[in-house]
Amino acid sequence: MDVGAMAAKEDVYAKVTPRRQRQARGNTVKHGSALDVLLSMGFPRTRALKALVSTGGKNVQAACDWLFSHVDDPFLDDPLPREYVLYLRPSGALLQQLSHFWKQSRLSCGKNKAHNIFPHITLCQFFMCADEKVEALADAVQATVSKWKGRIPMPLPLELYTSSTFIGLFVEEQMAEVLKSFAADFATEAASKADVHVEPHKKQLHVTLAYHFQTSHLPVLEKLAKLVDVSSGCDWLAVLFSRDIRFANHETLQVMYPYGPQNDDELELMQGDFIFMSPVEQSTASEGWVYGTSLGTGLSGLLPENYVNRADESDTWVVHGSHSFVSSASPSNCSSSRGLMLDGKTNETLDSMVDSSSLTALCPPMTVSKAAAPSSPSRMRLFVCRHGERMDVVFGKHWVTQCFDSKGRYVRSNLNMPSSLPARGGGHWDYDKDCPITVFGSTQARLVGEALLESRTAIDFVYCSPSLRCIQTAQHILQGLQQEAQTKIRVEPGLFEWTKWVSGSCLPAWIPLPELAAANLSVDVTYRPHVPLSKLVVSESYDTYISRSFQVTREILTECKNMGSVVLIVAHASSLEACTRQIQGLSPQNSKDFIQVVRKIPYLGFCACEELGETGVWQLVDPPILPLTHGPNHSFNWRELLTQD
């Protein structure tokens, strides 16, 4: 865009600004008029919508600033939608109480995982919404809140709960059901107005105060939690947030000092900007440097590690509307919530019911100081787990013919069959080589996840074979762990089983990542595999399979090192042996002995490995959960009773 064109567009903006300011009353700026202005300035529609959504619909100027700063962003025209979630946020006196707890718990015990996101009550799971539907989605929130104004008493009745790994405030059961009804109404409104699927939160509603903390910190945290006066005055605000799905599993860093690049592969740093860093991309970085992507520009490159500091996950989230349940028609009932740092500028428009000093205390900005020396990483652990019970084994290889009609419609004929299956672009016959798990298989997986939760074991990274049965198993393990919302599944083709065992002359037609995400499976759509699908061949040799499994496991552990201490691989029975033997420094078994070992591994067979210090050598250890035993159950027909004497 030349200088003359930019000047002309600035003139256009100057003429429309006063009118936009008069219209910007209430909690959100409508995209419609702002979009018209951006289109009249010559911006493509997709880019204009992306700018408005990425800035929370603040105003035309913010969208223009975003577009100009992202002019070289390689993903500027990427159609991938953002992820959204609806939270209840506290305000008033209760917010002050929680702010004090947040500050004191950090000072006394350091940061735990609860600090990554501000205090909130989760009303629904994360969901995706196309950019052109976001305004309708925001309207759905406002319409639902308007319907419920004055019907939810404040403050909410909360009860403190503590355990050795978790501290939180739980909503009293009767009131929790009321809030779940509100969430269900929002889901209906969102489907009607924005054509998006929202899954209301079905578990106990609560505010998380602390979790994944050191056991020795429990007495201090519990004492601080008991000081929170849950009866303090509070108006809970329904707030719609979004995040860039591409960076959902990245670490968030904040720039402390500006930096001018010295080489072409380095990234310019602006103080206050945020950087997304993925362990997958660190292989190109030398010691003292990291590879990351700027929130402010969308550009990626190398940057000096001591110029950034760790930030909270929610620091880069965008607010799309904040609404009060108070029945008063005061203008303060609806306004934009927390400011968001973009391109070194902060949105200072805050809800008048939530004073900005409280929010600053709740999520304090990172101080400009020299980065501390990194602490020694905790000992890494690797879990390898087989998938759950598979459909074709239980119901025979002709189950596809029995369950799909001539038009490809699925109807189950047994309670152990899933009530529905993901749609497949290649048609239902692709299920013949890539079958799902049964209902019991889902239950098996959730039991494993719940056992891990009970054992106080959190998973930092999940890698999975591209087989649907493995992805579904990983999903249900995360559900049992209560990590489904924050942990994405990295689909790695290199973890597929020995291809010699695949029938026919071609590999399965696996479901593409976008289709898996559309089916509400928590996959990381931005993950770049170590072994792409194109590298897998039919009927590979045993040596090739063993080498592939060892290589991909080693690379997974390398990329996760210093980023997390627990890695879970969900794959096949053969993976428990193939992914763990050589990292222990042992030579592979011959194929005959290998097969004998694999035959003994049941569904959800689970093994654990632990790194011996910093030696790079691993050993098998006792898993943190008990084994899962189950037996065969033959099909039963009640009519057989009629034939008895």
Side-chain angles (χ1 to χ4, degrees):
M1 186 177 295
D2 59 41
V3 176
M6 289 179 63
K9 287 166 183 174
E10 288 174 359
D11 290 340
V12 172
Y13 173 72
K15 294 176 183 177
V16 301
T17 298
R19 178 171 63 88
R20 293 299 304 137
Q21 290 174 342
R22 289 194 299 271
Q23 291 175 347
R25 297 171 183 166
N27 75 313
T28 53
V29 176
K30 294 293 185 181
H31 292 184
S33 300
L35 178 61
D36 291 339
V37 174
L38 293 173
L39 294 178
S40 70
M41 295 171 70
F43 292 111
R45 182 181 180 85
T46 53
R47 292 189 178 186
L49 282 169
K50 185 182 286 289
L52 288 168
V53 170
S54 298
T55 56
K58 181 184 174 185
N59 54 42
V60 175
Q61 182 65 65
C64 285
D65 291 344
W66 188 93
L67 285 164
F68 290 138
S69 65
H70 283 76
V71 66
D72 295 320
D73 185 346
F75 293 98
L76 185 57
D77 298 309
D78 189 342
L80 188 68
R82 295 174 68 87
E83 275 192 322
Y84 293 80
V85 70
L86 185 65
Y87 285 160
L88 285 186
R89 292 286 311 275
S91 67
L94 180 59
L95 176 61
Q96 297 284 353
Q97 296 270 338
L98 293 172
S99 300
H100 182 73
F101 174 84
W102 237 245
K103 181 179 180 179
Q104 293 301 316
S105 62
R106 275 187 189 247
L107 291 174
S108 303
C109 305
K111 183 177 178 180
N112 63 69
K113 287 205 172 182
H115 289 120
N116 281 328
I117 303 177
F118 40 76
H120 66 278
I121 295 175
T122 302
L123 293 178
C124 66
Q125 303 299 323
F126 274 93
F127 60 93
M128 290 192 289
C129 178
D131 290 348
E132 64 269 16
K133 299 283 189 179
V134 172
E135 185 175 346
L137 181 65
D139 287 343
V141 178
Q142 187 168 11
T144 310
V145 172
S146 297
K147 176 181 174 182
W148 282 79
K149 273 188 182 295
R151 295 169 56 185
I152 299 179
M154 300 292 172
L156 295 176
L158 301 173
E159 182 178 355
L160 178 64
Y161 170 83
T162 64
S163 72
S164 58
T165 59
F166 176 89
I167 301 176
L169 300 172
F170 280 78
V171 182
E172 183 271 329
E173 187 175 353
Q174 209 169 14
M175 182 53 60
E177 293 304 314
V178 174
L179 294 178
K180 288 179 181 180
S181 296
F182 165 78
D185 277 2
F186 165 64
T188 302
E189 286 283 347
S192 173
K193 293 181 181 294
D195 192 28
V196 297
H197 174 72
V198 177
E199 187 68 33
H201 194 65
K202 296 177 181 177
K203 296 181 180 178
Q204 289 179 293
L205 301 185
H206 63 275
V207 180
T208 299
L209 297 182
Y211 77 107
H212 287 185
F213 48 82
Q214 295 181 25
T215 306
S216 59
H217 291 160
L218 177 61
V220 175
L221 292 172
E222 189 173 16
K223 181 179 179 180
L224 290 171
K226 288 179 179 178
L227 296 176
V228 176
D229 182 5
V230 296
S231 63
S232 300
C234 178
D235 175 21
W236 288 85
L237 308 172
V239 189
L240 182 66
F241 293 95
S242 75
R243 66 184 184 186
D244 192 326
I245 189 175
R246 293 175 300 146
F247 305 116
N249 287 313
H250 288 51
E251 184 176 354
T252 304
L253 308 172
Q254 189 170 28
V255 178
M256 298 185 297
Y257 312 106
Y259 175 77
Q262 307 298 310
N263 298 290
D264 292 341
D265 60 352
E266 294 176 5
L267 182 66
E268 181 178 5
L269 299 182
M270 297 176 62
Q271 189 172 2
D273 190 13
F274 290 94
I275 304 296
F276 299 111
M277 183 185 72
S278 168
V280 178
E281 299 172 327
Q282 299 314 305
S283 58
T284 59
S286 56
E287 185 176 357
W289 292 74
V290 296
Y291 187 89
T293 301
S294 162
L295 170 69
T297 65
L299 299 177
S300 301
L302 295 167
L303 57 133
E305 189 173 12
N306 60 348
Y307 277 59
V308 293
N309 209 339
R310 291 191 177 186
D312 295 337
E313 177 186 344
S314 57
D315 284 342
T316 60
W317 291 5
V318 176
V319 177
H320 298 272
S322 176
H323 304 271
S324 166
F325 286 95
V326 175
S327 56
S328 168
S330 165
S332 67
N333 286 346
C334 298
S335 77
S336 293
S337 186
R338 175 179 184 217
L340 173 73
M341 183 74 74
L342 279 174
D343 310 326
K345 302 177 182 178
T346 306
N347 174 4
E348 296 294 341
T349 308
L350 295 170
D351 194 306
S352 59
M353 298 185 65
V354 184
D355 71 86
S356 58
S357 62
S358 298
L359 282 168
T360 303
L362 186 61
C363 300
M366 305 301 290
T367 56
V368 178
S369 60
K370 291 291 183 182
S375 59
S376 59
S378 58
R379 181 175 295 182
M380 287 192 71
R381 286 189 291 172
L382 169 67
F383 300 146
V384 186
C385 182
R386 187 191 179 190
H387 58 75
E389 182 180 81
R390 50 191 290 177
M391 284 274 283
D392 54 356
V393 171
V394 176
F395 298 106
K397 63 181 181 179
H398 299 299
W399 75 271
V400 176
T401 304
Q402 297 167 359
C403 294
F404 287 90
D405 62 19
S406 59
K407 295 183 179 180
R409 293 174 298 198
Y410 169 78
V411 179
R412 69 175 180 175
S413 58
N414 189 282
L415 289 177
N416 196 25
M417 292 179 172
S419 57
S420 62
L421 292 177
R424 304 188 75 130
H428 66 278
W429 284 112
D430 284 346
Y431 276 116
D432 188 45
K433 283 191 173 184
D434 185 30
C435 71
I437 57 177
T438 63
V439 173
F440 185 60
S442 302
T443 304
Q444 291 171 317
R446 279 196 298 274
L447 284 172
V448 168
E450 290 168 359
L452 288 169
L453 180 64
E454 185 178 351
S455 71
R456 304 190 295 275
T457 303
I459 302 298
D460 296 305
F461 298 99
V462 178
Y463 291 81
C464 189
S465 161
S467 294
L468 178 60
R469 58 189 181 273
C470 299
I471 297 169
Q472 289 177 318
T473 300
Q475 175 95 355
H476 288 289
I477 290 175
L478 289 174
Q479 287 177 354
L481 260 170
Q482 298 181 14
Q483 287 188 218
E484 183 184 12
Q486 65 265 36
T487 306
K488 296 291 184 181
I489 301 166
R490 296 175 172 180
V491 178
E492 174 55 64
L495 294 172
F496 184 59
E497 65 185 350
W498 188 6
T499 62
K500 179 182 178 181
W501 290 336
V502 176
S503 61
S505 58
C506 60
L507 295 174
W510 292 298
I511 302 179
L513 291 180
E515 291 183 25
L516 290 170
N520 294 317
L521 290 164
S522 301
V523 295
D524 183 351
V525 296
T526 66
Y527 174 67
R528 291 183 291 182
H530 295 280
V531 180
L533 291 174
S534 58
K535 296 295 184 180
L536 294 181
V537 296
V538 180
S539 299
E540 66 187 339
S541 68
Y542 172 68
D543 289 342
T544 299
Y545 167 64
I546 292 297
S547 175
R548 163 166 64 87
S549 299
F550 173 49
Q551 174 191 344
V552 75
T553 304
R554 185 171 54 184
E555 291 179 0
I556 285 171
L557 294 173
T558 299
E559 74 183 9
C560 295
K561 195 173 184 64
N562 300 327
M563 299 297 294
S565 58
V566 182
V567 178
L568 170 65
I569 288 176
V570 181
H572 307 270
S574 56
S575 305
L576 276 71
E577 168 76 5
C579 293
T580 63
R581 185 172 181 84
Q582 287 178 273
I583 65 172
Q584 299 176 71
L586 302 175
S587 300
Q589 300 191 80
N590 61 57
S591 59
K592 184 177 180 181
D593 291 339
F594 170 79
I595 292 172
Q596 292 304 315
V597 170
V598 170
R599 283 177 176 172
K600 299 175 183 177
I601 297 173
Y603 294 125
L604 270 300
F606 192 99
C607 71
C609 273
E610 193 171 87
E611 186 180 20
L612 297 176
E614 292 294 306
T615 63
V617 178
W618 295 68
Q619 67 175 2
L620 284 174
V621 296
D622 288 334
I625 61 174
L626 296 172
L628 174 65
T629 304
H630 50 88
N633 180 39
H634 299 290
S635 180
F636 170 70
N637 189 332
W638 64 271
R639 291 183 177 84
E640 294 176 4
L641 297 175
L642 301 178
T643 63
Q644 302 300 316
D645 293 334

